[in-house]
Amino acid sequence: MEIQEIVSKQKEFFNTQKTKNLKFRKMYLEKLRDIILENENLLNEAIYKDFGKSKFDTFTTEISFILKDINYYLKNLNALAKPKKVRTNLSNQIGNSKIYSDPLGCILVIGAWNYPYQLSLSPIIAALAAGNCCILKPSEIAENTMKAMSKIINENFPPEYLYVFEGGIDETTELLKLKFDKIFFTGSTKVGKIVYKAAAEYLTPVTLELGGKSPVIITKDANLEVAAKRIIWGKFLNAGQTCVAPDYLLVEESIQEQFLEMLRNQIKEFKYEPDSEQYTRIINQKNFQRLIKLIDKEKIYFGGNYDEEKLYIEPTILTNINWKDDVMQEEIFGPILPVILFKSFNQTLNYLIELEKPLSAYLFTNNSEEKESFTQKLSFGGGCINDVVMHLGNDNLPFGGVGNSGMGNYHGKFGFETFSHQKPVLEKATWGEPNIKYPPYSEKKLSWIKKLL
């Protein structure tokens, strides 16, 4: 079926008003949940073929997020969709005011390869919960997961409601030529700019979930043992191919030797070996070669080994790093962890303020003043104090970037709002009409209006 034909059918179907029915939305959310559970083995096999992701990691970082999202909307949809009554000001009496959450229409979601199920289906779930029709374009880089999603969705959903388009850059380019009511993109800043430019042709609203170099600051007042364990887990999860992964460490100089030793021991304890269940391979040759070039052999503190045939890169820590090194010029998106030392917390924070705003930022300390400075001074999409990555798991927190790391957010009620228009409606009584706003004007009427304000 042609791309244009699907889009046209979705627009027609949306105009039937069927998707505005809450029972309809819940029915298909339940259906999506059921087909994911029924096809879990298929999904596991597909993602393992793409980059060796284990059944354990696939459930904890992909499937569990999707099921949690579906259950959240099934439980909260009535409350989210209910018109919100708000105060009516004095000049609009006698009347009542409400805000209606209106679905936008036909949504295009462009997914990412690094968490191909979660980053494709989580926004789709929010869009369906909000009452929209959707087209999903998964990343072709994770080819097997793209085909798996296409199979289970296109065989079970009417295309005029939800459809998965397979294909690569050409297919995505064709999609971006069409008019949608919202585009949701997850990926690189470079491609995000292309999507944004295409959307501007029709003034289509866009949510961009991008990336950036997410810093982790570790001060002498941190619990170093806990910091090492959480940082190593968060950094090397998915072999570092995580948009909110710690990109580099800023370690207070007085604790460097002790903390570096803890990091090394933690990597050894987690046993990130080739073909191990807890470690993922690099997605393809292109990314593998890019990452290898970022490893300065003279600055390796730990790791640095790799196996090109298996697309395996050993967790690698680099020390004696400065801001001009190649590894500090772009988001790493792989299992390489540069360490920069600092003497002054405030000077380091002031330096970070001048950089592009990252998708995430992290601080390890038990110093209340440092916590306050971090949250008040530094701009970033989202983050943690004394942990990494885990803010994504809280439905009550919005997830999204700021500045170069993206725009808009989702998760929980924020996802529902992202794919809705907040439509205000004022209903007025037809009796008791005052004349002060109507001509002819007078000084007396103006004085009354000023009092009402």
Side-chain angles (χ1 to χ4, degrees), residues 103 172 201:
T172 305
E201 175 70 21

Side-chain angles (χ1 to χ4, degrees), residues 196-344:
Y196 199 25
K197 186 176 181 179
E201 175 70 21
Y202 298 107
L203 296 179
T204 301
V206 179
T207 294
L208 299 176
E209 299 296 344
L210 309 177
K213 294 188 73 64
S214 298
V216 188
I217 306 172
I218 304 98
T219 78
K220 65 179 185 299
D221 293 319
N223 182 321
L224 299 185
E225 188 174 345
V226 170
K229 188 171 188 177
R230 293 176 179 176
I231 289 168
I232 293 303
W233 173 82
K235 173 62 180 181
F236 299 110
L237 180 71
N238 211 38
Q241 299 167 118
T242 304
C243 58
V244 294
D247 192 89
Y248 60 98
L249 304 188
L250 294 160
V251 179
E252 192 158 0
E253 198 173 76
S254 62
I255 59 170
Q256 63 165 314
E257 291 183 12
Q258 179 186 4
F259 191 62
L260 284 169
E261 182 66 20
M262 287 180 174
L263 293 174
R264 176 167 58 188
N265 291 339
Q266 199 64 64
I267 292 174
K268 290 178 179 178
E269 186 175 327
F270 285 163
K271 300 185 184 301
Y272 292 122
E273 299 162 355
D275 303 320
S276 66
E277 185 182 19
Q278 58 268 21
Y279 201 54
T280 306
R281 66 174 180 260
I282 306 304
I283 185 67
N284 56 25
Q285 269 288 339
K286 180 181 178 182
N287 280 274
F288 180 87
Q289 295 299 333
R290 177 185 65 81
L291 289 166
I292 293 302
K293 291 177 182 176
L294 294 179
I295 299 176
D296 185 338
K297 293 181 179 180
E298 295 183 358
K299 297 191 176 186
I300 295 174
Y301 172 81
F302 180 88
N305 298 309
Y306 55 87
D307 185 328
E308 186 171 353
E309 185 178 342
K310 293 184 176 181
L311 294 177
Y312 167 83
I313 299 177
E314 184 181 19
T316 300
I317 298 175
L318 303 178
T319 53
N320 300 315
I321 296 296
N322 63 69
W323 294 101
K324 294 182 179 180
D325 284 338
D326 289 344
V327 75
M328 295 304 297
Q329 303 312 305
E330 60 179 20
E331 183 180 4
I332 296 168
F333 220 69
I336 303 167
L337 185 59
V339 178
I340 296 177
L341 302 180
F342 71 87
K343 292 181 180 179
S344 167

Side-chain angles (χ1 to χ4, degrees), residues 163-187:
Y163 192 78
V164 178
F165 264 115
E166 296 183 44
I169 295 174
D170 290 343
E171 285 74 17
T172 305
T173 301
E174 287 303 307
L175 276 170
L176 290 172
K177 291 178 182 177
L178 305 178
K179 188 178 188 302
F180 291 91
D181 297 294
K182 174 90 177 189
I183 298 175
F184 188 105
F185 170 78
T186 304

Side-chain angles (χ1 to χ4, degrees), residues 412-448:
K413 73 168 187 174
F414 305 99
F416 184 88
E417 291 170 356
T418 284
F419 293 105
S420 303
H421 166 60
Q422 302 306 300
K423 182 172 68 179
V425 176
L426 169 68
E427 182 180 355
K428 294 285 290 285
T430 56
W431 54 273
E433 179 78 352
N435 286 316
I436 64 172
K437 70 180 179 183
Y438 298 111
Y441 301 145
S442 69
E443 288 296 325
K444 186 176 181 181
K445 287 182 178 180
L446 181 59
S447 68
W448 272 107

